[in-house]
Structure formats: structure tokens, C-alpha cells
Amino acid sequence: MRGVRILPFGDRALLVEFAGLSDTIAAAALLEQHPIDGVIDVVPGARTVLVRLGPGRGGLTALEQRLARLFAELESPTVGAGEVSAPADRVVRIPVAY
């Protein structure tokens, strides 16, 4: 995964920046498939994934190293040539009132 930046986000989270949406979706899916001990929340955005640690679950330095190793194992997490897809077994419904 090229161009990945891992930035501190407060004292209990890291913000991981990616080149684009495909990389972000793949990284979030990877974190769901390979959970990291102490991580209580993974919040994907358009080009970022916020990774939050629970209280008393270690430091950000160890989490940063673990994330860097996890993402380094992938040559490219993109789904396909510009193709973006969500996991087929997961449906998210967001109620909206206008």
C-alpha cells in the first residue's frame, strides 16, 4: 500500500490516510478480518480510516507499528481497476427524514 500516512488523532486514536476510496475500503475490510487487540472502533471515510483504542489498551506507538506491518503485507488493497464494492453480507441502513 503506497502513500499511507498514519497520524495521531488525540491520545487514543490514529488516523490512517490512503490514496483513494478503494484503498480505504480495502483497509477497513482488512481491519475487520484481522482485528487488533484493543481496537474498539474502525471508522472509514473517503480517504481515511480512524482507528480508536479502548482505555487501558496499550499505547498508540504499538498500534501504529501494528497497522504499518498489517498494511505493508499488502501490495495493493484495491478491489479492482477502480471498482469499489462493499462486503456482500453487510447491509447498513441509515434512516433519513426530510
Side-chain angles (χ1 to χ4, degrees), residues 46-79:
R47 289 188 47 232
T48 61
V49 175
L50 179 69
V51 181
R52 289 189 338 133
L53 272 177
R57 302 302 249 163
L60 291 181
T61 302
L63 177 60
E64 181 176 0
Q65 292 170 351
R66 182 84 188 266
L67 289 172
R69 282 194 305 269
L70 184 63
F71 296 139
E73 291 175 6
L74 298 177
E75 289 185 17
S76 174
T78 54
V79 175

